[in-house]
Each structure stands twice: as structure tokens, then as C-alpha cells.
Amino acid sequence: MTDVLTPDEFEAGLREHAKRYHSEHPFHQRMNDGESTPDEIRGWVANRFYYQVNIPRKDGAILSSCPDREVRRRWVQRIIDHDGTAEGNGGIESWLRLGEGAGLTREEMEDQRHILPGVRFAVDAYVTFTRTKPWVEAVASSLTELFAPDLMANRLAAFERYYTWIDPEALAYFRSRLTQAPRDSEHGLEIVRKHCVTAETQAAALAALSFKCDVLWGMLDAIDQAYGNH
């Protein structure tokens, strides 16, 4: 029988997943090294948009099954961050502007004509996971945000250095996540540490985070196959 981990051991196990985060994917590393073509960047932005528009849906799924009012009060901020409070603001809008800065039109992003089957399958599987698993496991799956601030900082630096054909103002999404991701990951980690206190719940949380890492990696596998300049 597996022993219960101490809270610090459990957190270390969660953080160990940084080695499986999509920042380690060859496509992502080439992009950060300035080796991506404009077509690759546009393909990545267009497909990643499908993930972006589904973030509020997965957060809504977590809210719908969470019995803790205080958690819901804080978690709802994630939906506000992405959907915005009015036309013209929010993370989804910022991603559309990134696409425009990269040479895509809003129409071709919003009608999803470029979405690859592998990307759609991975994102839909993630939303289904958050709808069908216990809410704490769904929260645990979101803890890839533990690794997001470093990714965003490196991505922003790479885009500003290598992809100067993109208007710097179009990179606003990356800048906003530099502050949002640490706040979100701190809250998610607080929840998971509080509720995962048995061997079974700790194992389930670790498996949930592994699943999310697979979702992000699988998305890049599909994008790399379709657009990668090997």
C-alpha cells in the first residue's frame, strides 16, 4: 500500500511535472530559439486559440461541481480573466489580437477552420475530464500553471527578440499571464494541498496533472506534425 506523502513531498511530486511540461517539446523549444517560420507561428496561434476559448468552459465545469463557496468566489476570476467584462477585453480577445498581429484574421480564427483533429481531440478530452472527475482532481489538472510564469517570460522574450514582424502590442496576452498565472497556481496549489491528504487522493491529483501535461504535449505533437519546419 502506498504511503501518504507529507504536504511538502506531495508538492514536490506535483512540481516534478515541470519536466513533462510542453515547454520541453521540440516545437516549443524551436519557437523560443527563433527558428519558427511565420507559417509555423500562425499555425500554432490558430490552433492554440481552441484551447484558449475552452478555458472558461473548463473553469465553469469546476465551479459547477465545487461545493466550497469561498473557492468559487476566487475561482470565478479565471473566467473573468479570459472572457473579459465587456466587448474588447479579456484573454480571449488578447489572443485574437495576437492572431491578427501574426497575420491571421478574426474570422479564420473564430470559425476554427485551422483547428487540427489532434488539437480538438486533446482539448475536448480536457474539458470532459473537468466535467466528469471530482472537482479537486480537476483543480489538480490545472496546476500546469505552476510552470507557466517561466514559460510566459521566456516566450515573451523570444517573440520580442526573434519575431519582430509581430506588433509588440499584440503580445499583451503573454504579459497578462505573468501576473495571472502565479496567482492562479497559488490558489490551485492551496486547494490541492488542503484536500489531498490520503494516498488515494494524492495519487489521483498527480495523475490528473500528468493527464494535463499529456493534453498540452499532444496538442504540440499535432501542431508540429502539421506545421513543423524540421
Side-chain angles (χ1 to χ4, degrees):
M1 184 175 179
T2 305
D3 293 332
V4 178
L5 302 174
T6 68
D8 288 345
E9 288 172 338
F10 177 48
E11 181 175 336
L14 293 167
R15 292 187 181 277
E16 185 73 10
H17 286 75
K19 296 176 182 177
R20 300 182 54 199
Y21 193 43
H22 64 161
S23 58
E24 302 302 308
H25 194 285
F27 183 94
H28 206 291
Q29 293 191 337
R30 291 197 307 272
M31 186 166 65
N32 275 11
D33 288 339
E35 298 173 6
S36 296
T37 65
D39 282 345
E40 285 179 284
I41 296 293
R42 284 189 282 269
W44 173 74
V45 171
N47 276 273
R48 177 80 182 190
F49 182 67
Y50 189 65
Y51 177 80
Q52 300 304 133
V53 297
N54 276 282
I55 289 175
R57 297 176 68 203
K58 69 91 178 174
D59 286 322
I62 292 172
L63 283 173
S64 72
S65 58
C66 174
D68 188 317
R69 182 169 55 174
E70 181 56 34
V71 169
R72 295 198 303 268
R73 285 187 183 127
R74 293 175 63 182
W75 200 271
V76 73
Q77 183 62 46
R78 296 165 181 251
I79 296 177
I80 295 170
D81 287 342
H82 280 83
D83 280 342
T85 55
E87 195 69 26
N89 63 38
I92 293 173
E93 173 65 23
S94 292
W95 199 270
L96 284 166
R97 291 177 182 174
L98 172 64
E100 289 177 320
L104 296 162
T105 66
R106 283 178 176 251
E107 180 183 9
E108 66 185 303
M109 294 183 71
E110 291 182 323
D111 68 15
Q112 301 181 6
R113 70 185 70 171
H114 300 299
I115 305 302
L116 299 164
V119 169
R120 190 180 300 276
F121 182 85
V123 174
D124 289 352
Y126 179 43
V127 174
T128 297
F129 182 95
T130 60
R131 286 174 172 167
T132 57
K133 293 291 185 178
W135 73 275
V136 175
E137 289 180 40
V139 168
S141 73
S142 77
L143 285 177
T144 47
E145 291 166 336
L146 289 169
F147 324 122
D150 288 342
L151 176 146
M152 287 296 174
N154 293 334
R155 182 185 290 166
L156 180 60
F159 270 66
E160 289 178 333
R161 179 178 181 182
Y162 298 118
Y163 307 110
T164 54
W165 49 274
I166 299 176
D167 184 346
E169 292 187 5
L171 307 179
Y173 179 85
F174 304 150
R175 297 188 185 96
S176 68
R177 292 303 294 166
L178 292 175
T179 54
Q180 291 171 358
R183 177 205 66 201
D184 291 347
S185 63
E186 179 183 355
H187 185 213
L189 186 59
E190 175 188 314
I191 292 168
V192 172
R193 281 178 60 116
K194 176 181 177 180
H195 290 275
C196 297
V197 294
T198 67
E200 181 181 14
T201 54
Q202 288 175 344
L206 292 166
L209 185 51
S210 292
F211 167 76
K212 175 63 178 305
C213 287
D214 288 345
V215 165
L216 296 173
W217 197 277
M219 289 171 60
L220 281 186
D221 276 347
I223 294 168
D224 195 16
Q225 183 179 24
Y227 298 99
N229 181 29
H230 302 292

